Amino acid sequence: MRAAGRSVRARLRERIAASDPGLLRLTAGLRTVGAIALTLAVLALLRADVHLLVAGAMAAMVATFAIREKQLGAQAVTLALGLPVALASVSLGAVLNARLYAGDVFFVVLIFCAVYGRRFGDRGTALGLIGFQIYFLSLFVGAEVSALPTLCGAIALAFCSSALLRFAVVPATPTGVLLRLRLAFRARLAQLVSAQLDLLDAGPDDMDKALEAVREGTARLHETAMMIQAQLEEGTPDESAARLVQRRIADAEIAAERLGLLLLTARSAERADTLTLHLPGAPAPSVGQPAVPDEATATLGRDLQALRALVLRAGSGDTGTALAHVRNRLLGYRDEENLPPAPAAVQDVFRGIGEAARSVLGLRIALDGPQDESDDTPATARSREELDAEDAAIDSAEEPSEEEEKGLRRPTTRAAVQVAVGSALAIVGGELLSTQRWYWAVLTCWIVFLNTASTGEILVKGYRRLLGTVFGVVAGIVLAGLVGQHTVTAFALVLVLIFAMFYVAPLSYTLMSFFVTAMLGLLYTLLHTYSLDVLLLRVEETALGAACGVVAAALVLPVRTDRRTNELLGTVLARLADVTEAAVGQLSGGPADELLDKARDLDQALADLRAATQPLTHPVTPLRARRHTARYVVALLETCAYHARTLAATAELLPTHPSIAADPRLRGAAGRTVRNIETIAARVEDEHAAARVETGPSIASLLGSDAGTPRYGRITDRVLRHLERLDEAVVGLARPLGVPVAEPRA
């Protein structure tokens, strides 16, 4: 009974960890709601009026979500600096509320300074956000000079409550966050293996659904790996430990993605294209009647289940004989003589399972320390020796700093000017709509510029905010009618809505806007200013603010979506060329390079491009052909990144892996691929560039007839396969980007 209870708790913990990596959303929601609840409780004991209750709740929310630094010491400094900024902002708001023109001018200047402060990092961003939001608070509650002492006291209490929740009740240290992210990575890796098991069992009618689950699982695992990468520097004791974790996370991610591709190939009537795993909505390859013996299929299913168990138990402290037996059997597939009788494509899946088991073993050693080796088979002992040799070869290096843009070309300066102009327009238009609620238009204009960099991104964000606001108004009407004047019930619902707002914010901006607007309906009820006209005015002001933001972004120092995506596309191609050239250079016998760092730079550049193409791929985009092209290009780039990451990981094995040796011919054979990437990048930067993409013989044929045939020759089959697939994907990338392709020479 106890074992069953532990099993249920373990499954629940795994699901929560996978759905909310690092528990970042849960922590943010609990910390914010806790700070607000504590502030309200103290103010209620002091018999504060409802205006102070609302002000305290809003100040606690701002003081909590504005702080973004990872280290607790830096968070404490920013929070301490934020309090005088908040007190100065609310005092100026109270003084200038009655001075129409002076107040409007100061508000615009404050907005400019708040956005410009982003150039000073997380602290500058936080202080600017606090200054703006507290000034907005003074407008919302109608702050007056006579009420400043009590209002400042409520804000100071809110900051103290936020500090107590942040540092004592719900602390989030970089080490703790990294630990939870590691658990999330294991949980998502197990989910991906489960999706791959479903892909193995899927019939012809279910293949598309099963493939979509594998596709989603692969993307979610990659997302978690990137989140871990962002926490490594602060969350590990030293740089060598950070690089070791980085290496093992990358190995596990690559092995899992490769296993999915091998499974898809084994299930297909023909070789599966890597692009299929990265292009959303791409149909599954046709499923014929592959000659896969039932016994081999059953063994594959059993071993995938065993791999999933190995992943989940890797961090549980379970070192029993059964787990060791499973690990040894799966690692044995890395030796040719241990493969079950089956077609070549199915045997490749068994090899992929063995490589995935090796990556899980390496992940366990890196994260949990030395393991019991008493039950090791010779195959497991060899895997440990390889991992130990790789760990010993890991070294550190300094990353080059990038040159920063100056003047109006600097993104923070440009955004500050744009927001200031848009806010000025929103003030004028907002006061024409309402002399009492004009600040809602300014707030929307401010928000649509946060974390956006192009006109298209601002347009999409404004659309989402307006959509969430419209539905939130309906919810606000319903909730206000249900609550009436019950203050305690209203504040309880406010807390629920705030938690929901923070929990869904990273997932859906529309849902976040919905919860914000529903919460505001309750706050208006508490302030006795609720009416249907007020909530409808909220929609009008939101639409106006979004429109002013789009106009300012389009007319003032505009960054067109095409320009933004082309810049990021050029960065992705440059990073891809760097990784490919460095990996091939090392595989050719060149000096060692920081390949995993380069690969992660490529991943980050690709993530930035994916976010920037959202205006082009959004469902409401009328240009369907352009939407399909953008999705196809991003999928091709993800395919290229997968092959480049794998080449980088393989190249780093050269000093330690007995089956991989340098081959000087690779540099010349792969030179065409690097030149093609550079040609495409030049064409993206200058559409009049005349260079053409080269095509020709396969990489294997360029190396000569003696290369690539034996599985363990001077160069492994895997390296050749990834080089050829990368070459094919780069040539395929040229066509949708309009780069001419030269005909192969006869």
Side-chain angles (χ1 to χ4, degrees):
M1 191 72 176
R2 290 181 179 178
R6 282 196 299 270
S7 177
V8 171
R9 288 195 299 271
R11 287 197 297 270
L12 180 61
R13 187 166 57 249
E14 291 157 10
R15 289 182 180 179
I16 293 175
S19 64
D20 182 13
L23 302 183
L24 298 178
R25 292 184 284 125
L26 179 64
T27 301
L30 290 177
R31 185 186 293 141
T32 305
V33 169
I36 295 173
L38 180 58
T39 303
L40 291 175
V42 175
L43 289 175
L45 290 175
L46 296 175
R47 300 187 182 280
D49 66 21
V50 71
H51 286 77
L52 282 181
L53 292 174
V54 171
M58 293 180 68
M61 182 172 65
V62 173
T64 305
F65 78 74
I67 311 299
R68 296 297 183 189
E69 283 117 331
K70 297 183 177 69
Q71 296 290 350
L72 292 180
Q75 294 175 14
V77 172
T78 303
L79 194 60
L81 293 174
L83 179 56
V85 170
L87 296 179
S89 184
V90 74
S91 300
L92 287 168
V95 171
L96 296 174
N97 274 348
R99 295 170 173 80
L100 180 61
Y101 297 109
D104 291 349
V105 171
F106 175 77
F107 201 11
V108 172
V109 172
L110 175 63
I111 289 170
F112 176 88
C113 294
V115 176
Y116 186 78
R118 294 189 217 169
R119 67 167 296 197
F120 301 108
D122 289 337
R123 180 162 297 159
T125 302
L127 295 179
L129 191 58
I130 289 171
F132 172 83
Q133 293 286 1
I134 297 299
Y135 192 90
F136 174 84
L137 181 155
S138 71
L139 298 173
F140 184 78
V141 300
E144 298 177 352
V145 175
S146 60
L148 267 180
T150 54
L151 189 56
C152 288
I155 292 174
L157 172 63
F159 272 72
C160 291
S161 300
S162 177
L164 181 62
L165 265 293
R166 177 178 295 276
F167 302 119
V169 181
V170 192
T173 63
T175 303
V177 171
L178 182 59
L179 176 62
R180 292 193 293 270
L181 284 173
R182 284 157 35 179
L183 295 175
F185 184 85
R186 284 167 166 155
R188 285 192 167 183
L189 179 56
Q191 287 183 343
L192 177 56
V193 175
S194 297
Q196 292 168 348
L197 182 60
D198 292 339
L199 182 67
L200 174 68
D201 297 333
D205 295 336
D206 300 325
M207 276 293 289
D208 284 331
K209 182 179 178 181
L211 176 58
E212 187 60 36
V214 172
R215 202 179 280 140
E216 181 182 352
T218 302
R220 284 161 59 86
L221 185 68
H222 181 66
E223 175 194 26
T224 312
M226 294 296 293
M227 294 173 72
I228 291 175
Q229 175 72 16
Q231 290 285 339
L232 280 177
E233 184 176 347
E234 291 84 4
T236 45
D238 54 60
E239 190 170 354
S240 62
R243 293 182 60 76
L244 177 59
V245 174
Q246 176 189 20
R247 172 66 175 272
R248 295 304 166 220
I249 290 291
D251 287 347
E253 182 188 356
I254 290 170
E257 190 167 358
R258 179 170 178 267
L259 178 58
L261 182 63
L262 293 173
L263 266 170
L264 187 61
T265 300
R267 287 299 325 272
S268 306
E270 55 188 11
R271 180 180 67 83
D273 192 338
T274 315
L275 179 64
T276 308
L277 277 182
H278 298 107
L279 182 60
S286 58
V287 180
Q289 297 296 328
V292 182
D294 292 339
E295 183 179 350
T297 303
T299 304
L300 269 182
R302 180 197 66 181
D303 288 339
L304 284 171
Q305 291 176 340
L307 178 62
R308 183 181 183 278
L310 192 65
V311 170
L312 290 176
R313 295 178 188 175
S316 65
D318 185 352
T319 56
T321 304
L323 182 63
H325 176 72
V326 167
R327 179 197 63 209
N328 293 338
R329 187 181 79 246
L330 299 187
L331 287 173
Y333 291 146
R334 301 184 66 221
D335 295 333
E336 295 296 305
E337 61 270 16
N338 292 331
L339 292 173
V346 178
Q347 287 193 330
D348 280 342
V349 179
F350 283 111
R351 293 187 187 96
I353 291 175
E355 293 297 331
R358 178 190 183 274
S359 72
V360 173
L361 176 63
L363 194 63
R364 181 173 185 176
I365 294 172
L367 299 183
D368 303 327
Q371 309 294 314
D372 181 14
E373 303 178 16
S374 59
D375 294 322
D376 282 1
T377 61
T380 303
R382 282 195 296 274
S383 294
R384 287 192 192 276
E385 290 170 2
E386 293 171 5
L387 292 168
D388 291 341
E390 293 168 20
D391 295 348
I394 290 178
D395 198 0
S396 60
E398 294 184 2
E399 296 184 6
S401 58
E402 297 184 1
E403 184 179 352
E404 189 181 57
E405 294 181 326
K406 306 293 184 182
L408 292 176
R409 291 176 59 84
R410 181 184 287 120
T412 50
T413 306
R414 180 176 59 243
V417 174
Q418 290 176 324
V419 176
V421 172
S423 298
L425 295 174
I427 288 173
V428 173
E431 289 186 341
L432 291 176
L433 285 176
S434 169
T435 57
Q436 301 296 320
R437 310 274 186 254
W438 56 270
Y439 44 80
W440 287 120
V442 181
L443 179 67
T444 299
C445 181
W446 155 278
I447 288 177
V448 297
F449 273 95
L450 293 178
N451 301 319
T452 54
S454 70
T455 306
E457 290 179 71
I458 292 170
L459 180 61
V460 169
K461 192 171 184 179
Y463 158 78
R464 288 172 174 167
R465 184 168 184 83
L466 181 59
L467 186 64
T469 300
V470 170
F471 286 105
V473 163
V474 177
I477 293 172
V478 174
L479 291 175
L482 293 175
V483 170
Q485 297 301 316
H486 295 84
T487 303
V488 175
T489 304
F491 271 119
L493 283 174
V494 165
L495 292 178
V496 172
L497 292 171
I498 288 175
F499 177 84
M501 175 181 71
F502 278 91
Y503 195 79
V504 305
L507 304 178
S508 171
Y509 187 73
T510 301
L511 275 178
M512 188 197 76
S513 301
F514 167 81
F515 288 122
V516 169
T517 304
M519 176 195 68
L520 289 173
L522 291 174
L523 292 181
Y524 278 130
T525 301
L526 291 170
L527 293 173
H528 307 294
T529 56
Y530 166 79
S531 69
L532 180 59
D533 291 338
V534 168
L535 291 181
L536 293 178
L537 179 63
R538 160 85 170 146
V539 175
E540 295 172 354
E541 296 280 3
T542 298
L544 174 65
C548 290
V550 172
V551 169
L555 300 180
V556 181
L557 304 174
V559 177
R560 309 295 182 194
T561 302
D562 287 345
R563 174 187 159 191
R564 171 71 174 164
T565 53
N566 283 346
E567 288 176 353
L568 293 174
L569 176 58
T571 301
V572 172
L573 292 170
R575 299 282 188 270
L576 179 62
D578 287 345
V579 175
T580 304
E581 190 169 25
V584 170
Q586 196 161 319
L587 288 166
S588 303
D593 205 340
E594 299 304 322
L595 295 177
L596 285 181
D597 287 342
K598 292 180 182 293
R600 283 309 176 195
D601 289 342
L602 169 61
D603 288 337
Q604 186 57 58
L606 187 53
D608 293 340
L609 175 64
R610 192 183 304 110
T613 57
Q614 285 186 0
L616 303 178
T617 59
H618 195 276
V620 300
T621 301
L623 304 175
R624 293 186 175 274
R626 193 180 182 192
R627 180 175 66 187
H628 293 319
T629 299
R631 292 174 60 186
Y632 184 66
V633 167
V634 171
L636 273 174
L637 288 170
E638 289 177 340
T639 298
C640 292
Y642 162 67
H643 293 299
R645 277 198 307 272
T646 308
L647 288 173
T650 306
E652 288 214 341
L653 298 177
L654 268 178
T656 58
H657 206 291
S659 65
I660 302 176
D663 191 326
R665 296 172 297 173
L666 268 178
R667 189 185 301 275
R672 180 181 71 197
T673 303
V674 176
R675 289 194 301 273
N676 283 342
I677 296 172
E678 293 171 344
T679 296
I680 296 172
R683 184 60 180 257
V684 169
E685 183 177 355
D686 179 10
E687 62 181 9
H688 301 294
R692 292 173 175 265
V693 166
E694 305 173 32
T695 58
S698 68
I699 300 293
S701 66
L702 291 175
L703 291 178
S705 59
D706 62 330
T709 302
R711 186 163 298 279
Y712 294 109
R714 299 184 66 198
I715 260 307
T716 61
D717 281 357
R718 188 185 306 178
V719 171
L720 287 175
R721 282 200 301 269
H722 286 294
L723 280 173
E724 290 198 18
R725 301 299 174 262
L726 177 60
D727 188 63
E728 293 169 1
V730 170
V731 173
L733 188 63
R735 295 183 174 91
L737 293 177
V739 183
V741 178
E743 295 296 328
R745 297 177 182 177

